[in-house]
Amino acid sequence: MGSLVFTIANQKGGVGKTTTAINLAAALADKKIPTLVVDLDPQANATSALGVEKQEGKSLYGPLNGEGDALSMITETQYANLFLIPSEVDLAAAEIELAQSENYLMKLRTTLQPVRDSGRFKAIIIDCPPALGMLSMNSLAAADFLLIALQCEYMALEGLGQILKVVDKLKTANVNAALEVGGIIMTMFDVRTNLSRQVVEEVKKHLPDKIFDNVIPRTVRLSEAPSFGKTIFAYDPLSPGATAYKKLSKEIIERFGLSK
Protein backbone atom coordinates (compact mmCIF):
# COMPACT_ATOMS: atom_id res chain seq x y z
CA MET A 1 0.00 0.00 0.00
CA GLY A 2 1.26 3.49 -0.85
CA SER A 3 1.10 6.50 1.43
CA LEU A 4 -2.25 7.62 2.77
CA VAL A 5 -2.56 11.40 2.72
CA PHE A 6 -4.52 13.07 5.52
CA THR A 7 -5.17 16.77 5.61
CA ILE A 8 -6.09 18.42 8.89
CA ALA A 9 -8.16 21.44 7.98
CA ASN A 10 -10.56 23.93 9.49
CA GLN A 11 -11.11 27.50 8.37
CA LYS A 12 -11.14 28.62 12.00
CA GLY A 13 -7.89 29.31 13.85
CA GLY A 14 -7.09 28.13 17.36
CA VAL A 15 -8.95 24.83 17.18
CA GLY A 16 -5.99 22.54 17.82
CA LYS A 17 -5.18 21.79 14.18
CA THR A 18 -1.39 22.00 14.45
CA THR A 19 -1.39 20.40 17.90
CA THR A 20 -3.31 17.49 16.40
CA ALA A 21 -1.11 17.26 13.28
CA ILE A 22 2.18 17.00 15.18
CA ASN A 23 1.00 14.84 18.06
CA LEU A 24 -0.98 12.44 15.92
CA ALA A 25 2.05 12.13 13.61
CA ALA A 26 4.33 11.58 16.60
CA ALA A 27 2.02 8.90 18.01
CA LEU A 28 1.98 7.07 14.66
CA ALA A 29 5.78 7.36 14.39
CA ASP A 30 6.10 5.98 17.92
CA LYS A 31 4.25 2.88 16.69
CA LYS A 32 6.97 2.53 14.01
CA ILE A 33 4.73 3.85 11.22
CA PRO A 34 6.91 6.07 8.97
CA THR A 35 5.09 9.40 8.96
CA LEU A 36 5.64 12.72 7.18
CA VAL A 37 4.22 16.04 8.35
CA VAL A 38 3.79 18.63 5.59
CA ASP A 39 3.66 22.12 7.09
CA LEU A 40 1.56 24.12 4.65
CA ASP A 41 0.91 27.04 7.00
CA PRO A 42 3.16 30.09 6.34
CA GLN A 43 3.19 30.69 10.12
CA ALA A 44 5.24 27.46 10.35
CA ASN A 45 3.88 26.48 13.75
CA ALA A 46 4.17 22.74 13.04
CA THR A 47 7.79 23.27 11.98
CA SER A 48 8.80 25.01 15.20
CA ALA A 49 6.66 22.67 17.34
CA LEU A 50 8.72 19.75 16.01
CA GLY A 51 11.90 21.59 16.99
CA VAL A 52 13.01 22.30 13.40
CA GLU A 53 14.56 25.66 12.51
CA LYS A 54 12.84 27.58 9.72
CA GLN A 55 15.13 27.91 6.70
CA GLU A 56 14.71 30.01 3.61
CA GLY A 57 14.13 27.82 0.58
CA LYS A 58 13.17 24.80 2.70
CA SER A 59 9.43 24.50 2.11
CA LEU A 60 7.03 23.59 -0.68
CA TYR A 61 7.06 27.14 -2.02
CA GLY A 62 9.69 26.34 -4.68
CA PRO A 63 8.27 22.95 -5.74
CA LEU A 64 4.76 24.42 -6.05
CA ASN A 65 6.26 26.90 -8.51
CA GLY A 66 8.11 24.21 -10.44
CA GLU A 67 11.46 24.92 -8.76
CA GLY A 68 13.03 21.92 -7.05
CA ASP A 69 11.13 18.89 -5.81
CA ALA A 70 9.27 17.91 -2.66
CA LEU A 71 11.52 14.91 -1.90
CA SER A 72 14.53 17.20 -1.43
CA MET A 73 12.60 19.26 1.13
CA ILE A 74 12.08 16.34 3.53
CA THR A 75 13.85 16.97 6.83
CA GLU A 76 14.54 14.60 9.70
CA THR A 77 13.13 15.48 13.11
CA GLN A 78 14.46 14.52 16.53
CA TYR A 79 12.00 11.60 16.55
CA ALA A 80 12.44 8.20 14.91
CA ASN A 81 10.10 7.52 11.96
CA LEU A 82 8.88 11.14 11.94
CA PHE A 83 9.84 13.46 9.08
CA LEU A 84 8.85 16.98 8.07
CA ILE A 85 8.55 19.18 5.03
CA PRO A 86 8.97 22.54 6.81
CA SER A 87 7.22 25.81 6.11
CA GLU A 88 8.53 29.35 5.67
CA VAL A 89 6.98 32.78 5.35
CA ASP A 90 7.38 32.71 1.54
CA LEU A 91 4.51 30.22 1.41
CA ALA A 92 2.16 33.15 2.04
CA ALA A 93 2.94 34.36 -1.50
CA ALA A 94 1.81 30.98 -2.85
CA GLU A 95 -1.78 31.87 -1.91
CA ILE A 96 -1.75 34.58 -4.59
CA GLU A 97 0.54 32.89 -7.10
CA LEU A 98 -1.37 29.60 -7.15
CA ALA A 99 -4.57 31.39 -8.13
CA GLN A 100 -2.84 32.71 -11.25
CA SER A 101 -1.52 29.35 -12.42
CA GLU A 102 -3.07 26.64 -14.59
CA ASN A 103 -4.72 23.71 -12.80
CA TYR A 104 -4.24 25.76 -9.62
CA LEU A 105 -6.11 23.32 -7.37
CA MET A 106 -3.96 20.37 -8.43
CA LYS A 107 -0.51 21.87 -7.81
CA LEU A 108 0.04 20.28 -4.39
CA ARG A 109 -1.25 16.89 -5.53
CA THR A 110 1.25 16.88 -8.42
CA THR A 111 4.07 18.17 -6.18
CA LEU A 112 3.51 15.46 -3.54
CA GLN A 113 3.10 12.58 -6.00
CA PRO A 114 6.83 11.66 -6.04
CA VAL A 115 6.75 11.55 -2.21
CA ARG A 116 3.77 9.19 -2.29
CA ASP A 117 5.40 7.07 -4.98
CA SER A 118 8.68 6.83 -3.05
CA GLY A 119 7.11 4.35 -0.62
CA ARG A 120 9.00 5.94 2.29
CA PHE A 121 5.91 6.83 4.29
CA LYS A 122 2.74 5.07 5.37
CA ALA A 123 1.07 8.32 6.45
CA ILE A 124 1.44 11.88 5.19
CA ILE A 125 -0.25 14.50 7.37
CA ILE A 126 -0.78 18.00 5.98
CA ASP A 127 -1.20 20.89 8.42
CA CYS A 128 -3.15 23.70 6.74
CA PRO A 129 -3.46 27.45 7.34
CA PRO A 130 -6.52 28.55 9.35
CA ALA A 131 -8.51 29.58 6.25
CA LEU A 132 -10.03 27.89 3.24
CA GLY A 133 -7.69 29.69 0.84
CA MET A 134 -5.61 28.33 -2.03
CA LEU A 135 -3.23 26.30 0.14
CA SER A 136 -6.02 24.61 2.10
CA MET A 137 -8.01 23.93 -1.07
CA ASN A 138 -4.88 22.39 -2.63
CA SER A 139 -4.45 20.18 0.42
CA LEU A 140 -8.04 18.95 0.07
CA ALA A 141 -7.41 18.21 -3.60
CA ALA A 142 -4.26 16.24 -2.67
CA ALA A 143 -5.68 14.23 0.24
CA ASP A 144 -7.31 10.85 0.57
CA PHE A 145 -8.96 11.82 3.84
CA LEU A 146 -9.89 15.04 5.60
CA LEU A 147 -9.54 15.01 9.38
CA ILE A 148 -11.47 17.90 10.91
CA ALA A 149 -10.20 19.28 14.23
CA LEU A 150 -13.30 20.68 15.88
CA GLN A 151 -13.24 22.72 19.05
CA CYS A 152 -15.89 21.82 21.63
CA GLU A 153 -17.93 25.02 21.33
CA TYR A 154 -21.15 25.89 19.49
CA MET A 155 -19.65 28.33 17.00
CA ALA A 156 -17.51 25.47 15.72
CA LEU A 157 -20.59 23.62 14.49
CA GLU A 158 -21.28 26.35 11.92
CA GLY A 159 -17.75 26.00 10.56
CA LEU A 160 -18.24 22.24 10.30
CA GLY A 161 -21.17 22.72 7.92
CA GLN A 162 -19.08 25.04 5.73
CA ILE A 163 -16.13 22.69 5.37
CA LEU A 164 -18.41 19.71 4.60
CA LYS A 165 -19.97 21.77 1.77
CA VAL A 166 -16.50 22.49 0.37
CA VAL A 167 -15.70 18.76 0.37
CA ASP A 168 -18.93 18.04 -1.54
CA LYS A 169 -18.09 20.73 -4.11
CA LEU A 170 -14.59 19.33 -4.70
CA LYS A 171 -16.05 15.85 -5.16
CA THR A 172 -18.84 16.87 -7.54
CA ALA A 173 -16.50 19.10 -9.56
CA ASN A 174 -14.19 16.08 -9.95
CA VAL A 175 -11.30 18.01 -8.41
CA ASN A 176 -10.88 15.12 -5.96
CA ALA A 177 -13.73 12.65 -6.39
CA ALA A 178 -12.08 10.19 -3.98
CA LEU A 179 -11.82 12.65 -1.06
CA GLU A 180 -13.54 11.40 2.08
CA VAL A 181 -14.16 12.91 5.48
CA GLY A 182 -11.96 10.54 7.45
CA GLY A 183 -13.23 11.70 10.80
CA ILE A 184 -13.92 14.52 13.22
CA ILE A 185 -11.50 15.00 16.10
CA MET A 186 -13.10 16.86 19.00
CA THR A 187 -10.48 19.12 20.59
CA MET A 188 -10.24 21.36 23.65
CA PHE A 189 -12.77 19.26 25.54
CA ASP A 190 -13.36 20.77 28.97
CA VAL A 191 -14.58 18.12 31.42
CA ARG A 192 -15.90 20.81 33.76
CA THR A 193 -18.50 22.18 31.33
CA ASN A 194 -21.79 20.83 30.04
CA LEU A 195 -21.16 22.74 26.81
CA SER A 196 -18.27 20.49 25.76
CA ARG A 197 -20.40 17.39 26.29
CA GLN A 198 -23.36 18.93 24.45
CA VAL A 199 -21.26 19.82 21.40
CA VAL A 200 -19.84 16.29 21.22
CA GLU A 201 -23.37 14.85 21.50
CA GLU A 202 -24.60 17.18 18.74
CA VAL A 203 -21.85 16.05 16.34
CA LYS A 204 -22.51 12.41 17.27
CA LYS A 205 -26.18 12.87 16.47
CA HIS A 206 -25.54 14.26 12.97
CA LEU A 207 -22.35 12.39 11.99
CA PRO A 208 -22.22 9.28 14.20
CA ASP A 209 -19.94 7.32 11.87
CA LYS A 210 -17.42 10.17 11.50
CA ILE A 211 -16.66 11.30 15.04
CA PHE A 212 -13.72 9.63 16.79
CA ASP A 213 -14.43 8.12 20.20
CA ASN A 214 -11.41 9.73 21.82
CA VAL A 215 -11.67 13.45 22.52
CA ILE A 216 -8.67 15.71 23.10
CA PRO A 217 -8.82 17.55 26.45
CA ARG A 218 -8.10 21.22 26.95
CA THR A 219 -4.84 21.16 28.93
CA VAL A 220 -2.05 23.60 29.70
CA ARG A 221 0.60 20.98 28.89
CA LEU A 222 -0.66 20.56 25.32
CA SER A 223 -0.50 24.35 24.86
CA GLU A 224 2.98 24.60 26.39
CA ALA A 225 4.74 21.79 24.51
CA PRO A 226 5.11 23.56 21.10
CA SER A 227 6.90 26.54 22.65
CA PHE A 228 9.64 24.10 23.73
CA GLY A 229 9.83 22.61 20.23
CA LYS A 230 8.47 19.31 21.53
CA THR A 231 5.56 16.95 21.00
CA ILE A 232 3.42 16.21 24.03
CA PHE A 233 5.11 12.78 24.28
CA ALA A 234 8.54 14.36 24.66
CA TYR A 235 7.28 17.16 26.91
CA ASP A 236 4.96 15.29 29.28
CA PRO A 237 4.41 11.66 28.23
CA LEU A 238 2.13 10.84 31.17
CA SER A 239 -0.21 13.82 30.73
CA PRO A 240 -3.90 13.44 29.77
CA GLY A 241 -3.08 15.08 26.40
CA ALA A 242 -0.45 12.44 25.59
CA THR A 243 -2.84 9.65 26.58
CA ALA A 244 -5.61 11.12 24.40
CA TYR A 245 -3.41 11.38 21.29
CA LYS A 246 -2.10 7.83 21.82
CA LYS A 247 -5.67 6.52 21.93
CA LEU A 248 -6.64 8.61 18.91
CA SER A 249 -3.69 7.22 16.92
CA LYS A 250 -4.87 3.68 17.75
CA GLU A 251 -8.32 4.52 16.38
CA ILE A 252 -6.80 6.00 13.23
CA ILE A 253 -4.55 2.97 12.67
CA GLU A 254 -7.60 0.70 12.95
CA ARG A 255 -9.94 2.88 10.87
CA PHE A 256 -7.54 3.30 7.95
CA GLY A 257 -5.65 0.03 8.11
CA LEU A 258 -2.33 1.71 8.89
CA SER A 259 0.30 -0.61 10.24
CA LYS A 260 4.05 -1.03 10.20
Side-chain angles (χ1 to χ4, degrees):
M1 187 185 77
S3 309
L4 279 185
V5 179
F6 301 92
T7 188
I8 300 184
N10 192 322
Q11 65 275 41
K12 194 169 179 290
V15 297
K17 228 174 353 72
T18 301
T19 301
T20 295
I22 60 160
N23 289 310
L24 174 57
L28 293 175
D30 193 49
K31 291 183 166 69
K32 297 186 169 53
I33 295 167
T35 303
L36 173 69
V37 174
V38 177
D39 191 352
L40 209 59
D41 186 348
Q43 294 176 76
N45 291 333
T47 299
S48 51
L50 286 173
V52 175
E53 289 287 322
K54 285 178 267 189
Q55 290 176 54
E56 203 176 319
K58 199 80 171 161
S59 75
L60 283 184
Y61 177 68
L64 285 169
N65 285 305
E67 296 159 18
D69 64 283
L71 280 165
S72 66
M73 298 298 163
I74 296 170
T75 303
E76 288 188 356
T77 69
Q78 58 196 303
Y79 309 104
N81 305 309
L82 182 54
F83 298 81
L84 171 74
I85 293 182
S87 177
E88 58 176 330
V89 74
D90 280 4
L91 258 183
E95 286 282 2
I96 302 149
E97 290 161 6
L98 281 170
Q100 297 162 351
S101 63
E102 248 182 279
N103 289 331
Y104 59 88
L105 285 177
M106 303 306 287
K107 287 287 186 187
L108 181 64
R109 189 183 188 92
T110 308
T111 301
L112 285 180
Q113 198 59 49
V115 180
R116 294 188 77 160
D117 294 344
S118 73
R120 286 180 62 187
F121 307 103
K122 286 279 187 192
I124 297 172
I125 296 175
I126 306 171
D127 185 37
C128 293
L132 286 176
M134 274 297 141
L135 289 169
S136 292
M137 295 299 276
N138 261 266
S139 84
L140 290 169
D144 299 306
F145 298 102
L146 164 64
L147 300 177
I148 303 170
L150 198 69
Q151 195 176 353
C152 291
E153 57 168 53
Y154 269 115
M155 293 299 281
L157 293 172
E158 283 177 27
L160 177 61
Q162 287 168 354
I163 200 161
L164 292 175
K165 275 182 196 158
V166 169
V167 171
D168 283 342
K169 277 183 184 164
L170 289 175
K171 284 167 77 90
T172 52
N174 266 337
V175 172
N176 185 359
L179 178 64
E180 286 183 42
V181 176
I184 297 163
I185 301 162
M186 303 304 297
T187 62
M188 301 183 179
F189 183 87
D190 190 337
V191 289
R192 299 164 303 177
T193 68
N194 285 330
L195 178 62
S196 279
R197 280 190 290 275
Q198 285 164 1
V199 173
V200 171
E201 288 309 314
E202 194 69 21
V203 176
K204 267 187 188 161
K205 197 162 73 183
H206 294 293
L207 296 156
D209 56 332
K210 295 297 181 192
I211 190 168
F212 288 102
D213 292 334
N214 289 289
V215 298
I216 307 301
R218 183 191 287 277
T219 75
V220 173
R221 306 300 271 172
L222 273 176
S223 310
E224 284 174 349
S227 60
F228 291 90
K230 290 182 176 180
T231 68
I232 190 62
F233 307 107
Y235 185 63
D236 192 348
L238 301 177
S239 64
T243 304
Y245 276 113
K246 259 186 197 157
K247 286 180 176 173
L248 176 67
S249 72
K250 193 165 177 283
E251 267 192 278
I252 282 176
I253 289 166
E254 286 167 6
R255 186 176 290 196
F256 302 107
L258 285 171
S259 58
K260 284 186 273 183

